[in-house]
């Protein structure tokens, strides 16, 4: 059987504390498991970091925190 390719999904976040958990859980609950999730927080000032930190020990999750640079720069990280 042919191996499935690794899929990378990234979520950019700036003050989306009300939605970030749902977005992360949606990715992690996919039936396709050969994936990695990169969460890039663009200097949020709400409770986003507290929510994102709950996923720091999940094997296929990487978290990047940065000072606010805007969506265009963040998409290129």
């Amino acid at each position: 059987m042919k191996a499935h390719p690794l899929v990378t999904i990234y979520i950019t976040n700036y003050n989306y504390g009300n939605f970030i958990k749902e977005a992360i859980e949606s990715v992690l609950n996919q039936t396709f498991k050969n994936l990695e999730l990169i969460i890039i927080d663009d200097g949020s000032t709400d409770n986003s970091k507290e929510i994102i930190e709950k996923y720091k020990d999940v094997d296929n999750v990487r978290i990047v925190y940065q000072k606010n640079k805007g969506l265009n720069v963040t998409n290129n990280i």
Side-chain angles (χ1 to χ4, degrees), residues 7-73:
V7 174
T8 299
I9 301 163
Y10 73 96
I11 298 173
T12 58
N13 178 69
Y14 178 72
N15 289 340
Y16 288 120
N18 290 336
F19 308 102
I20 191 67
K21 180 179 179 183
E22 183 178 353
I24 294 168
E25 290 294 328
S26 176
V27 172
L28 297 178
N29 288 325
Q30 296 298 308
T31 56
F32 185 83
K33 297 298 182 187
N34 194 8
L35 58 85
E36 66 177 343
L37 172 61
I38 302 171
I39 305 165
I40 306 166
D41 184 79
D42 192 31
S44 293
T45 57
D46 66 354
N47 65 332
S48 295
K49 185 173 182 178
E50 177 182 309
I51 295 165
I52 293 167
E53 277 294 299
K54 294 177 182 177
Y55 299 92
K56 69 181 180 183
D57 294 325
V58 177
D59 287 337
N60 59 336
V61 174
R62 283 189 22 206
I63 301 169
V64 177
Y65 294 108
Q66 65 184 26
K67 291 183 181 180
N68 184 262
K69 297 178 182 178
L71 183 59
N72 289 336
V73 173

